[in-house]
Amino acid sequence: MRQHSDELVDVLSGSFERELSVNVFNGSDRVLEDVRFESWQLDADLERGICTQGSGTIVHSSVDGSSLVPVGTVGVLSPFRARVEPVMTIRAGGFMESVSLGTFRVGSVPFASDSVVTYDGREMVSASRVGVKFDSLEADVERWGFQSPEQSRAGVSAFGELRRLTGMAVEETVADALVPALKVWEAKQGGRLDAVLELGRVLGGSAVVNSRGAWEIIPDVIGAPVATLRLGAEGTVIDVADEIDTDTVYNEVVGTFEDAKGKPIFAVARVNTGPLSVDGPYGVNTRYWSSDLVKTQAQANSGVQSILDQSVGSQQYDVQIQCHVNPLLEIGDVAQLSDWKRPLVGQVRKISLSNSPLMSVTLRVARSLT
């Protein structure tokens, strides 16, 4: 979750007003503060390598007649230098608190214009309107390529590799793991980000940059809820809890691998008891799996068993929700939904925020099959 006070959590459960402004940075220097931000949109999706993308219009009143319209690399809003920090301010009675939605890299300026007035026979800029499109900071790593293939030794810390490859802050949100085999990271477009995403999988989750500008791992396992979503009178839930899809419920996993010398390794894990037994009425549903990180029989046996446990332990499905805005929520958070016909807890996979008092959220919910 984004940083907040305990009091703000209580305020968000009732009636409140909100507004969004933006701070602009060039490097570490904040060059504009608390600027009006209009027609904005912020969409986050845990399935994307660059998880969050947004857009909006910066509206700035000039006090000295100068323009904010960028020209090439010149100007504080030039996409060659600008970072933006959208900030949502919540007000209720005498309460006020601002929440940073994160810092983002400006990728393009699709339009820009000045409003001009005549003063003492001279034309002066009274205000500038600059549209910006921006991405979360995974984009920095995606753009930073390897000059040549880089190699990780077997047994090095996955978090240590994450720090080395990104040069950014890292928050260890899950237990560290060792890179299980010699790994060569390719020198290709987006290769550094691909390497980071693979390290996230080694650590049992998805690697993302959070609102504090640090890399963290969102675990695949759905844990205890840390936030509550309010449905409200205008909220909607598209719930597919009654749909059951067996295509991805595997009761047998077959793994094929190679050791360090190229000798083949095979491993099989099966469900032998219960309603999903391979000898029962469900029959056999086989999944094939391989990984170049597996180099020993023990790793192969552990890997296929883990894939099998994920399959039969639960079936995950997505629930689309439109609910009251909660600026504290980030992708990867586990949230519970109030004011609904049944308890609903899931991991936040997608969030869409805008000028609307409602936001769209996709929760991934687990249904136990055992």
Side-chain angles (χ1 to χ4, degrees), residues 250-252 269-279 308 312:
Y250 302 101
N251 57 3
E252 179 182 71
R270 311 182 87 198
V271 177
N272 295 309
T273 60
L276 297 182
S277 170
V278 293
D279 298 319
L308 182 67
V312 303

Side-chain angles (χ1 to χ4, degrees), residues 40-118:
W40 62 276
Q41 181 85 20
L42 192 66
D43 297 314
D45 185 344
L46 196 54
E47 306 294 334
R48 292 194 298 241
I50 300 175
C51 293
T52 305
Q53 298 171 337
S55 63
T57 302
I58 293 174
V59 182
H60 181 260
S61 298
S62 175
V63 296
D64 60 0
S66 60
S67 170
L68 280 188
V69 173
V71 179
T73 60
V74 178
V76 296
L77 289 177
S78 168
F80 290 92
R81 66 172 64 190
R83 305 288 173 109
V84 292
E85 180 193 23
V87 177
M88 184 175 289
T89 300
I90 304 296
R91 293 185 176 88
F95 174 87
M96 183 181 76
E97 184 169 335
S98 295
V99 178
S100 171
L101 302 187
T103 301
F104 303 87
R105 180 190 185 104
V106 175
S108 66
V109 173
F111 63 89
S113 63
D114 288 326
S115 297
V116 178
V117 297
T118 301

Side-chain angles (χ1 to χ4, degrees), residues 46-47 173-174 197-208 216-224 287 306-307 310 314-316 332-334 346-349 364-366:
L46 196 54
E47 306 294 334
T173 51
V174 298
L197 298 179
E198 186 166 346
L199 286 170
R201 291 188 286 272
V202 168
L203 288 162
S206 302
V208 303
E216 66 171 307
I217 305 301
I218 305 299
D220 294 329
V221 177
I222 299 175
R287 176 180 175 181
S306 176
I307 296 296
Q310 290 175 23
S314 66
Q315 182 189 34
Q316 294 184 339
D333 288 341
V334 178
Q347 187 183 68
V348 177
R349 305 295 293 188
R364 183 153 296 173
V365 179

